[in-house]
Amino acid sequence: MELLARARELEAQGRSIVHMEVGEPDFTTPEPIIEAGRQALADGRTHYTPAMGLPVLRQAIARHYQQRYGVDIDPGRVVVTPGASGALQLLMSVLINPGDGVLLADPGYPCNRNFVHLVGGEPQSLEVGADTGYQLSAALIEQNWQDNTRAVMVASPSNPTGTMLSREELLDIYQVVQQHAGFLIVDEIYQGLIYGAEGHTALEIDDDLFVINSFSKYYGMTGWRLGWLVAPSDKIDLIDRLAQNIFLAAPTPAQHAALAAFSDQTIEILEQRREIFRQRRDYLKPALEDLGFRISVKPHGAFYLYADCSQHTNDSAAFAHDLLEQMGVAVTPGMDFGENAPERYLRFAYTTDMQQLQEGVRRIRQFVAG
Ligand SMILES: Cc1ncc(COP(=O)(O)O)c(C=O)c1O
């Protein structure tokens, strides 16, 4: 965020900046969704919805799981939230008591640790590397389960690495968590943004786990603040009561707009965008490797490459700072994602167009050439 602010500041001073730090799609929300939002406002849909969300939207989300993944979900298990962030906050509040531990991958999405802290829990970060595809594994979870551990959180595809857990890996993780009578939380916010791999959902495994998702990334709706979670039936009442207290309900116009997110017309637009992201990944990964950055596990999803930059520096934060100041290229240093050798990593986001990516690569080439 600091880097983004500095990049914007330099831009305001007239500098040309290539943005490879931004964690949201560069595309605006698809027109059918915007139109549905406009219509909702024109119709005066400006009041609260039920805390769990509009019933028609909960049904649409359940139908989406049936159509895309062949999984039957009771719409009563779908909770509409203000972004995945709202879902994460809600879940932590429901599942974690002060002193409870939550196992997390390092590197991982930085806010997760803070959500655990927020409810007085203890983030139990585990270092992950190329050997497990930068993901937690059943073995790692088994070895590191502690007396106070209550939950495990994974993200597939992951931020910052873009790597995925296979069905089998997820099933193994689920079984270990079950053996310990813990909770498994699977963040599927980058679901849909998958290239050359088969998509799946943890909901295929069992009802007894928690899935987080959002309209932010695949659906291109970051600013509308809308996400959802699917929870086991026996937790819904508690989640409902907490949601009523914490945020009352997700934004009403956004919920009406999202009803258009699953239409054929919208999906066609989103699939075209997915193809563009795939082309960008397929350009950027070899281009960075060519410059000496190492990406040892091919990322199949999201819009990030997490690259080992140790050939060029032993201080990725200083590298990112200098790259921005000298060449006008903004990237995110590893320290944003944890304490697992952050000085060796940079996250490159391909949330900007091909021309900009090529320009970024040209500038980085010049920078590393000294
Ligand atoms: C892994 C992951 N989870 C959750 C979020 C929160 O997203 P939102 O609240 O916009 O749905 C993000 C945002 O970058 C993310 O990368």
Side-chain angles (χ1 to χ4, degrees):
M1 282 300 173
E2 215 173 281
L3 222 121
L4 183 63
R6 179 63 183 151
R8 296 253 150 91
E9 196 181 14
L10 289 172
E11 223 161 21
Q13 292 166 12
R15 283 277 300 276
S16 141
I17 304 294
V18 177
H19 290 281
M20 296 167 89
E21 83 286 27
V22 178
E24 62 176 325
D26 45 327
F27 305 107
T28 50
T29 304
E31 184 53 33
I33 301 177
I34 293 183
E35 181 48 37
R38 245 187 233 119
Q39 192 59 50
L41 291 174
D43 293 345
R45 300 200 185 275
T46 55
H47 298 95
Y48 293 133
T49 69
M52 308 301 275
L54 279 176
V56 279
L57 182 57
R58 298 170 76 191
Q59 284 157 14
I61 292 169
R63 209 163 39 243
H64 159 74
Y65 282 108
Q66 169 51 240
Q67 286 170 352
R68 198 131 178 179
Y69 302 102
V71 187
D72 282 321
I73 303 291
D74 174 0
R77 293 176 51 210
V78 177
V79 182
V80 179
T81 55
S85 306
L88 284 163
Q89 191 187 341
L90 203 49
L91 264 193
M92 285 300 112
S93 311
V94 170
L95 303 180
I96 302 304
N97 287 317
D100 288 349
V102 181
L103 290 172
L104 306 160
D106 181 350
Y109 178 57
C111 304
N112 286 342
R113 297 190 292 276
N114 300 331
F115 282 123
V116 176
H117 278 305
L118 194 63
V119 295
E122 179 196 343
Q124 297 174 331
S125 296
L126 302 183
E127 295 191 355
V128 292
D131 55 327
T132 61
Y134 293 96
Q135 292 278 358
L136 292 182
S137 66
L140 270 173
I141 293 168
E142 181 59 52
Q143 283 154 22
N144 290 282
W145 196 279
Q146 298 177 37
D147 288 347
N148 68 338
T149 303
R150 288 293 286 152
V152 174
M153 232 163 145
V154 294
S156 176
S158 123
N159 177 6
T161 65
T163 56
M164 290 172 63
L165 286 163
S166 70
R167 262 195 195 91
E168 295 69 35
E169 288 166 334
L170 202 52
L171 178 62
D172 289 347
I173 288 175
Y174 172 73
Q175 285 168 344
V176 172
V177 178
Q178 282 282 306
Q179 279 157 21
H180 288 281
F183 303 115
L184 176 60
I185 301 164
V186 185
D187 184 339
E188 298 186 336
I189 184 170
Y190 294 99
Q191 190 176 60
L193 289 170
I194 293 171
Y195 325 107
E198 197 202 346
H200 58 93
T201 169
L203 295 168
E204 292 168 18
I205 295 178
D206 196 46
D207 293 347
D208 196 17
L209 44 76
F210 298 82
V211 162
I212 284 177
N213 210 318
S214 176
F215 288 98
S216 284
K217 312 284 176 162
Y218 175 64
Y219 301 94
M221 295 180 67
T222 44
W224 298 75
R225 307 311 304 130
L226 200 65
W228 73 86
L229 78 92
V230 182
S233 317
D234 65 339
K235 292 287 184 302
I236 292 296
D237 183 46
L238 195 54
I239 291 173
D240 190 0
R241 278 184 282 144
L242 262 167
Q244 288 175 26
N245 282 273
I246 298 179
F247 39 65
L248 293 181
T252 302
Q255 293 191 59
H256 284 279
L259 287 170
F262 302 110
S263 74
D264 291 345
Q265 205 189 349
T266 303
I267 297 297
E268 197 183 320
I269 297 168
L270 296 175
E271 285 299 296
Q272 283 164 7
R273 293 176 176 186
R274 181 168 70 98
E275 174 56 20
I276 292 170
F277 280 125
R278 185 191 64 74
Q279 287 168 8
R280 293 174 182 176
R281 180 202 62 170
D282 289 350
Y283 160 70
L284 190 60
K285 181 175 176 283
L288 290 175
E289 285 170 329
D290 206 40
L291 295 180
F293 296 94
R294 276 208 315 276
I295 302 159
S296 40
V297 181
K298 187 169 184 180
H300 285 293
F303 28 59
Y304 308 116
L305 297 173
Y306 199 57
D308 182 331
C309 56
S310 54
Q311 188 176 317
H312 299 299
T313 180
N314 53 17
D315 184 349
S316 62
F319 185 94
H321 174 270
D322 294 347
L323 184 64
L324 176 60
E325 296 294 333
Q326 292 172 34
M327 308 303 294
V329 178
V331 299
T332 312
M335 67 186 219
D336 278 22
F337 307 103
E339 289 166 9
N340 177 10
E343 66 287 347
R344 273 181 43 186
Y345 289 93
L346 292 169
R347 189 193 73 176
F348 295 83
Y350 41 95
T351 45
T352 187
D353 68 28
M354 191 65 102
Q355 227 177 337
Q356 285 293 300
L357 291 179
Q358 286 166 346
E359 174 61 15
V361 166
R362 192 190 64 74
R363 294 186 193 183
I364 296 168
R365 179 177 295 115
Q366 202 179 332
F367 182 71
V368 297

